[in-house]
Structure formats: structure tokens, C-alpha cells
Amino acid sequence: NNSPHTPFMQKCIELAEKSPPRPTNFRVGAILLSRKDGDITFSDDRILSTGYTMELAGNTHAEQCCFANYAAVHKVADDQVAGALPVEPGRKLVMYVSMEPCGKRLSGNAPCVQRITKTRDGGREGIHKVYFGVKEPGTFVGESEGCKMLSAAGIEWEHVPGLEKEILSVAVAGHENPEEEVKNALGKLETNADQI
Ligand SMILES: Nc1nc(=O)c(N)c(NC[C@H](O)[C@H](O)[C@H](O)COP(=O)(O)O)[nH]1
Ligand SMILES: [Zn+2]
């Protein structure tokens, strides 16, 4: 699949591969960038931050680490990251994540969709669009709500097809029956591919 977004998804997979395998989460990679409107070759992209699951101490998600890394570089607290993100006319903030941002976490920690929507606080445009490579499998929270919650917050999202098997294999590497879980998740994708 030669989507122009594929190289970014491959970079997210490389990031996810740095994540320590655990049975209790998915290994995910995230990239935050600024993109010039109408730049169809993405040649004027500016990478702002990256993150991967458990990159930072504690039970941290890729998107969470991506924001926290940006906050640290800009010397603001994690919950102040929105105010530190660039606001540039003619440019948009875009996030690539190998897996759909979580709408709910078994740990009860703030879900990443909430962290993404918070970038719009104070009337800022914040994150304009999120690209992800696979919907979250039902392993932990059942039917994922991430996309619905992004739409409800007025944030665009798009599934980048073609790398589902690679993304899922990396994501579940620390799980009990990884092959089974990947097959199951891919099977679900086949049956409701149109509903993604
Ligand atoms: N998009 C995304 N990025 C991540 O870095 C990550 N680990 C998940 N995983 C989603 C999954 O639903 C939660 O990992 C479980 O619900 C357990 O919740 P905790 O992670 O312990 O808060 N999803
Ligand atoms: Zn998350």
C-alpha cells in the first residue's frame, strides 16, 4: 500500500519496538509533527516529538510520552503542554500513532484521547488530525472508543491501512498468546473492515 503516510507509520513501528514487552498493555509508537497546509510531499514537515509505550517511568503510553517529551524540552509541566505547542498560521499539528489512541485505560489513568483533546484548550486549534495504523484490539477494553471520542472533540482521524499485521505483532509481543491475538484481531478487521 503506497499511502504517503506509510513511512510515518513505519517509523511509529520502529519506536514501538523500543518498548519493553508487557502482558498488560500494547507496544505503540507515536510521532507529533507540524505540517504546512497544502504541502503534498510533506517536505516541509517539522517533527516536534516522538514517544513509545513505557519510554518514560511508570505505566506510560506512547502518546503520553510524546507529549511529556515535548513538555520537558520546552520546560513546561506535562499538563501545560498545550500552551507550549506551536501555533503557526498555515500549518497544522498532526499526530501519527501505530495504534488508535485509547479512549479508556484499565489502569484508570487519563486516556490518550483526553490528552490529545486537551491540546485544544484555551481555544487553540491543537492537534488537527490523528493518523493510526490499526484500531485497538478488544483485549483490554473491548470495543475501542478512541475514534468516536476524537470525532466528538472535532479532531480528524484516519486509518492508514497496510501495516496492521506488523503493528499488532509488535504491540502484543509481551502477551500470553501473541500469534493468536494477532490472528484474532486481523480476523475482526476482515469482518468489519468497512466499519473502521
Ligand atoms: N494507543 C495506545 N498507546 C499505548 O502506548 C498503549 N499502551 C495502549 N494500550 C491501550 C490499552 O487499552 C491499555 O494499555 C490497557 O487498557 C491497560 O491500561 P494501562 O495501559 O495499564 O493504563 N494504546
Ligand atoms: Zn493511551
Short mmCIF file of all heavy atoms in Angstrom, two decimals, residues 24-26 28 53 59 61-63 97 99-102 104-107 109 136 140-141, ligand 1:
data_model
loop_
_atom_site.label_atom_id
_atom_site.label_comp_id
_atom_site.label_asym_id
_atom_site.label_seq_id
_atom_site.Cartn_x
_atom_site.Cartn_y
_atom_site.Cartn_z
N THR A 24 0.38 -6.47 29.96
CA THR A 24 -0.69 -5.59 30.44
C THR A 24 -0.96 -4.36 29.56
O THR A 24 -1.75 -3.50 29.92
CB THR A 24 -0.33 -5.08 31.85
OG1 THR A 24 1.02 -4.57 31.80
CG2 THR A 24 -0.44 -6.21 32.87
N ASN A 25 -0.26 -4.25 28.43
CA ASN A 25 -0.56 -3.11 27.55
C ASN A 25 -0.14 -3.48 26.13
O ASN A 25 0.21 -4.63 25.84
CB ASN A 25 0.16 -1.83 28.02
CG ASN A 25 1.68 -1.97 27.94
OD1 ASN A 25 2.20 -2.81 27.18
ND2 ASN A 25 2.39 -1.18 28.70
N PHE A 26 -0.20 -2.50 25.21
CA PHE A 26 0.28 -2.71 23.85
C PHE A 26 1.55 -1.87 23.65
O PHE A 26 1.69 -0.81 24.27
CB PHE A 26 -0.77 -2.24 22.84
CG PHE A 26 -2.05 -3.03 22.86
CD1 PHE A 26 -3.26 -2.43 23.24
CD2 PHE A 26 -2.07 -4.37 22.49
CE1 PHE A 26 -4.44 -3.15 23.25
CE2 PHE A 26 -3.26 -5.10 22.50
CZ PHE A 26 -4.44 -4.48 22.88
N VAL A 28 3.38 0.59 21.47
CA VAL A 28 2.91 1.55 20.48
C VAL A 28 3.97 2.64 20.29
O VAL A 28 4.76 2.91 21.21
CB VAL A 28 1.57 2.16 20.94
CG1 VAL A 28 1.04 3.22 19.97
CG2 VAL A 28 0.53 1.07 21.17
N THR A 53 5.57 3.44 24.16
CA THR A 53 4.98 2.92 25.39
C THR A 53 6.07 2.63 26.43
O THR A 53 7.06 1.98 26.14
CB THR A 53 4.21 1.61 25.08
OG1 THR A 53 3.34 1.84 23.98
CG2 THR A 53 3.42 1.13 26.28
N ASN A 59 3.55 3.61 34.11
CA ASN A 59 2.73 2.92 33.14
C ASN A 59 2.32 3.93 32.06
O ASN A 59 1.19 4.41 32.05
CB ASN A 59 1.52 2.36 33.90
CG ASN A 59 0.57 1.65 32.99
OD1 ASN A 59 0.87 1.49 31.80
ND2 ASN A 59 -0.55 1.26 33.51
N HIS A 61 1.90 5.64 28.17
CA HIS A 61 1.54 5.30 26.78
C HIS A 61 2.40 6.09 25.81
O HIS A 61 2.96 7.14 26.16
CB HIS A 61 0.05 5.58 26.54
CG HIS A 61 -0.84 4.51 27.08
ND1 HIS A 61 -2.16 4.39 26.73
CD2 HIS A 61 -0.59 3.51 27.96
CE1 HIS A 61 -2.68 3.35 27.35
NE2 HIS A 61 -1.74 2.80 28.11
N ALA A 62 2.46 5.64 24.58
CA ALA A 62 3.28 6.28 23.56
C ALA A 62 2.91 7.75 23.37
O ALA A 62 3.78 8.64 23.38
CB ALA A 62 3.12 5.53 22.23
N GLU A 63 1.61 8.03 23.25
CA GLU A 63 1.15 9.40 23.02
C GLU A 63 1.47 10.28 24.23
O GLU A 63 1.89 11.42 24.11
CB GLU A 63 -0.36 9.42 22.75
CG GLU A 63 -0.81 8.51 21.61
CD GLU A 63 -1.19 7.10 22.07
OE1 GLU A 63 -0.45 6.49 22.88
OE2 GLU A 63 -2.20 6.59 21.61
N VAL A 97 0.18 7.62 15.17
CA VAL A 97 0.30 6.64 16.24
C VAL A 97 0.09 5.27 15.60
O VAL A 97 -0.79 5.11 14.75
CB VAL A 97 -0.77 6.84 17.34
CG1 VAL A 97 -0.38 6.10 18.61
CG2 VAL A 97 -0.97 8.31 17.64
N MET A 99 -1.16 2.69 16.87
CA MET A 99 -2.48 2.15 17.26
C MET A 99 -3.42 3.28 17.64
O MET A 99 -2.99 4.30 18.18
CB MET A 99 -2.31 1.18 18.45
CG MET A 99 -3.62 0.54 18.88
SD MET A 99 -3.41 -0.63 20.26
CE MET A 99 -2.55 -1.96 19.43
N GLU A 100 -4.68 3.08 17.38
CA GLU A 100 -5.73 4.06 17.72
C GLU A 100 -5.52 4.55 19.15
O GLU A 100 -5.33 3.74 20.06
CB GLU A 100 -7.08 3.35 17.61
CG GLU A 100 -8.27 4.14 18.06
CD GLU A 100 -9.52 3.26 18.18
OE1 GLU A 100 -9.37 2.02 18.23
OE2 GLU A 100 -10.62 3.81 18.22
N PRO A 101 -5.50 5.86 19.40
CA PRO A 101 -5.34 6.36 20.77
C PRO A 101 -6.43 5.79 21.67
O PRO A 101 -7.58 5.64 21.25
CB PRO A 101 -5.49 7.88 20.60
CG PRO A 101 -5.15 8.15 19.19
CD PRO A 101 -5.63 6.94 18.43
N CYS A 102 -6.04 5.50 22.91
CA CYS A 102 -7.00 4.86 23.83
C CYS A 102 -8.04 5.87 24.32
O CYS A 102 -7.73 7.02 24.59
CB CYS A 102 -6.27 4.24 25.01
SG CYS A 102 -5.35 5.41 26.03
N LYS A 104 -10.02 4.65 26.81
CA LYS A 104 -10.24 4.16 28.18
C LYS A 104 -9.03 3.32 28.52
O LYS A 104 -8.47 2.65 27.65
CB LYS A 104 -11.51 3.29 28.18
CG LYS A 104 -11.93 2.75 29.53
CD LYS A 104 -13.39 2.23 29.41
CE LYS A 104 -13.74 1.33 30.57
NZ LYS A 104 -12.95 0.07 30.55
N ARG A 105 -8.58 3.35 29.78
CA ARG A 105 -7.43 2.55 30.19
C ARG A 105 -7.81 1.73 31.42
O ARG A 105 -8.39 2.29 32.36
CB ARG A 105 -6.24 3.44 30.53
CG ARG A 105 -5.66 4.18 29.35
CD ARG A 105 -4.58 5.14 29.73
NE ARG A 105 -3.44 4.54 30.42
CZ ARG A 105 -2.27 5.16 30.54
NH1 ARG A 105 -2.09 6.37 30.04
NH2 ARG A 105 -1.26 4.58 31.17
N LEU A 106 -7.48 0.46 31.42
CA LEU A 106 -7.81 -0.39 32.58
C LEU A 106 -7.21 0.19 33.86
O LEU A 106 -7.79 0.07 34.93
CB LEU A 106 -7.31 -1.82 32.38
CG LEU A 106 -8.11 -2.70 31.42
CD1 LEU A 106 -7.60 -4.12 31.46
CD2 LEU A 106 -9.60 -2.64 31.75
N SER A 107 -6.07 0.85 33.75
CA SER A 107 -5.43 1.39 34.96
C SER A 107 -6.23 2.57 35.50
O SER A 107 -6.02 3.01 36.62
CB SER A 107 -4.03 1.91 34.63
OG SER A 107 -4.16 3.05 33.79
N ASN A 109 -5.79 5.49 34.37
CA ASN A 109 -5.03 6.72 34.04
C ASN A 109 -5.71 7.44 32.89
O ASN A 109 -6.50 6.85 32.15
CB ASN A 109 -3.60 6.35 33.62
CG ASN A 109 -2.81 5.81 34.81
OD1 ASN A 109 -3.21 5.99 35.96
ND2 ASN A 109 -1.72 5.12 34.52
N GLU A 136 -7.61 -0.27 18.11
CA GLU A 136 -7.19 -1.02 19.30
C GLU A 136 -7.96 -2.34 19.38
O GLU A 136 -9.20 -2.35 19.35
CB GLU A 136 -7.43 -0.19 20.56
CG GLU A 136 -7.03 -0.97 21.82
CD GLU A 136 -7.20 -0.20 23.11
OE1 GLU A 136 -7.43 1.02 23.07
OE2 GLU A 136 -7.10 -0.84 24.17
N PHE A 140 -8.20 -5.49 26.13
CA PHE A 140 -8.29 -4.91 27.48
C PHE A 140 -9.61 -4.19 27.73
O PHE A 140 -10.21 -4.31 28.78
CB PHE A 140 -7.13 -3.91 27.71
CG PHE A 140 -5.77 -4.53 27.60
CD1 PHE A 140 -4.96 -4.26 26.51
CD2 PHE A 140 -5.31 -5.41 28.58
CE1 PHE A 140 -3.69 -4.83 26.40
CE2 PHE A 140 -4.05 -5.98 28.48
CZ PHE A 140 -3.23 -5.69 27.39
N VAL A 141 -10.07 -3.42 26.73
CA VAL A 141 -11.24 -2.58 27.00
C VAL A 141 -12.40 -2.87 26.06
O VAL A 141 -13.35 -2.09 25.98
CB VAL A 141 -10.87 -1.07 26.93
CG1 VAL A 141 -9.89 -0.71 28.04
CG2 VAL A 141 -10.35 -0.69 25.56
N1 LIG B 1 -2.76 3.83 21.82
C1 LIG B 1 -2.11 3.17 22.83
N2 LIG B 1 -0.83 3.53 23.14
C2 LIG B 1 -0.14 2.87 24.12
O1 LIG B 1 1.03 3.20 24.37
C3 LIG B 1 -0.78 1.79 24.83
N3 LIG B 1 -0.09 1.09 25.80
C4 LIG B 1 -2.10 1.47 24.50
N4 LIG B 1 -2.76 0.49 25.23
C5 LIG B 1 -4.22 0.54 25.30
C6 LIG B 1 -4.77 -0.45 26.34
O2 LIG B 1 -6.17 -0.29 26.36
C7 LIG B 1 -4.23 -0.17 27.77
O3 LIG B 1 -2.86 -0.34 27.79
C8 LIG B 1 -4.91 -1.14 28.75
O4 LIG B 1 -6.25 -0.75 28.90
C9 LIG B 1 -4.25 -1.13 30.12
O5 LIG B 1 -4.32 0.18 30.65
P1 LIG B 1 -2.95 0.86 31.12
O6 LIG B 1 -2.07 0.91 29.90
O7 LIG B 1 -2.41 -0.04 32.20
O8 LIG B 1 -3.34 2.22 31.62
N5 LIG B 1 -2.76 2.15 23.50
#
